[in-house]
């Protein structure tokens, strides 16, 4: 063992840092959640299932099932039914939406299908061709 070495000690491998908390609108801090992304240019045929949060900006032909939050991006095209806790539509959907908490149609989106949700928000410049069944949770 060499007590007086000129070699510098090697840095220890550190564990990856956890992401910093994200401030919420009420000022409280919430740890960041993993968020899935289906980017523009990606196309899927079949069933898409997820549990937390997913942003789709590509194309999906089939059903989407989730107990989490779904955002349909402005470049997205969905052909099929959507069943999720919360759905925010910015792109195009041809199918029915069943949300257990909330559905939001933002300006510039197009929905051809029916909506069933306890809460529905429709922006002024959204295109909605279908019917809506809004029954608040009791």
């Amino acid at each position: 063992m060499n007590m007086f070495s000129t070699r510098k000690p090697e840095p220890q491998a550190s564990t990856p840092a956890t992401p910093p908390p994200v401030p919420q609108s009420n000022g409280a801090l919430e740890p960041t959640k993993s968020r899935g992304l289906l980017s523009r240019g990606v196309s899927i045929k079949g069933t898409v299932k997820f549990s937390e949060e997913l942003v789709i900006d590509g194309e999906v032909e089939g059903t989407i099932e989730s107990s989490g939050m779904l955002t349909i991006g402005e470049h997205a095209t969905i052909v099929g039914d959507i069943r999720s806790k919360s759905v925010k539509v910015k792109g195009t959907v041809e199918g029915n939406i069943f949300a257990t908490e909330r559905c939001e149609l933002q300006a510039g989106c197009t929905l051809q299908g029916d909506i069933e949700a306890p809460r529905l928000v429709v922006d002024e410049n959204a295109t909605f061709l279908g019917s809506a069944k809004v029954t608040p949770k009791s």
Side-chain angles (χ1 to χ4, degrees):
M1 184 157 126
N2 210 355
M3 288 180 62
F4 301 103
S5 174
T6 58
R7 274 183 71 193
K8 294 182 181 179
E10 293 182 23
Q12 295 294 325
S14 63
T15 58
T18 57
V22 176
Q24 294 180 315
S25 59
N26 64 2
L29 294 178
E30 178 182 325
T32 57
K33 295 180 182 177
S34 62
R35 191 168 134 172
L37 172 66
L38 183 79
S39 62
R40 189 175 180 181
V42 176
S43 179
I44 292 181
K45 286 187 180 186
T47 302
V48 176
K49 293 183 179 184
F50 65 97
S51 60
E52 298 239 352
E53 188 174 355
L54 179 63
V55 177
I56 298 176
D57 211 21
E59 298 177 9
V60 174
E61 184 178 328
T63 59
I64 300 172
E65 300 173 6
S66 171
S67 58
M69 297 182 293
L70 173 66
T71 301
I72 308 295
E74 61 185 50
H75 302 105
T77 301
I78 310 299
V79 179
D81 290 347
I82 298 170
R83 295 183 179 277
S84 186
K85 175 177 153 182
S86 174
V87 181
K88 185 182 295 185
V89 181
K90 300 176 183 179
T92 302
V93 176
E94 290 180 32
N96 301 319
I97 297 176
F98 303 92
T100 57
E101 281 191 8
R102 173 187 171 101
C103 180
E104 182 177 347
L105 304 180
Q106 294 193 338
C109 81
T110 301
L111 171 63
Q112 287 185 308
D114 298 337
I115 297 173
E116 191 171 320
R119 291 187 313 201
L120 175 62
V121 177
V122 181
D123 283 351
E124 188 174 329
N125 292 321
T127 302
F128 174 34
L129 304 169
S131 64
K133 182 178 179 183
V134 181
T135 50
K137 293 180 180 180
S138 46

